[in-house]
Amino acid sequence: MRNPEDNQDVAGRNGFVWWVGVVEARNDPLKLGRCQVRIFGWHNENSVILPTKDLPWAQAVIPLNNSKNFSAPRVGEWVLGFFMDGEQAQIPVMLGVLPGLKP
């Protein structure tokens, strides 16, 4: 069994990191509702240096009481989330859309 102190970069431990970003792609090949999000302050804003296809897929948190009616955020919408792996910032999770904000 792993010692919990060995892994500090998980949600709820040191390194809980919030983020805001803009959805650039939502055609999830796994059909899980994931989006590719350009996260402000983490991903280069120049799409030539970091193309959309190279952005990580952000998993969506789906409401427990209405999961059958979920749809992914639209391209261009701003989303709020956190990284499940903390400062390593490779496993983004979307919590919700920030209505009215435009890139």
Side-chain angles (χ1 to χ4, degrees):
M1 189 159 133
R2 293 182 72 178
N3 181 349
E5 294 179 16
D6 290 342
N7 193 357
Q8 295 296 312
D9 284 333
V10 295
R13 295 208 174 261
N14 293 339
F16 192 82
V17 179
W18 294 96
W19 55 259
V20 173
V22 62
V23 174
E24 290 197 0
R26 60 180 291 215
N27 191 16
D28 180 3
L30 299 180
K31 310 254 186 265
L32 298 173
R34 300 177 305 164
C35 294
Q36 288 177 293
V37 178
R38 189 169 303 273
I39 299 171
F40 306 133
W42 289 89
H43 298 140
N44 192 305
E45 51 188 69
N46 184 327
S47 62
V48 172
I49 294 171
L50 178 60
T52 300
K53 68 178 182 62
D54 293 336
L55 293 171
W57 286 98
Q59 180 69 46
V61 172
I62 300 171
L64 294 173
N65 60 353
N66 198 13
S67 61
K68 296 194 184 332
N69 293 326
F70 171 79
S71 67
R74 293 183 302 253
V75 170
E77 289 186 312
W78 284 24
V79 290
L80 170 74
F82 69 97
F83 291 112
M84 284 184 63
D85 58 344
E87 295 284 334
Q88 293 180 32
Q90 298 303 301
I91 308 172
V93 175
M94 299 178 290
L95 293 175
V97 175
L98 297 168
L101 293 176
K102 302 288 184 206

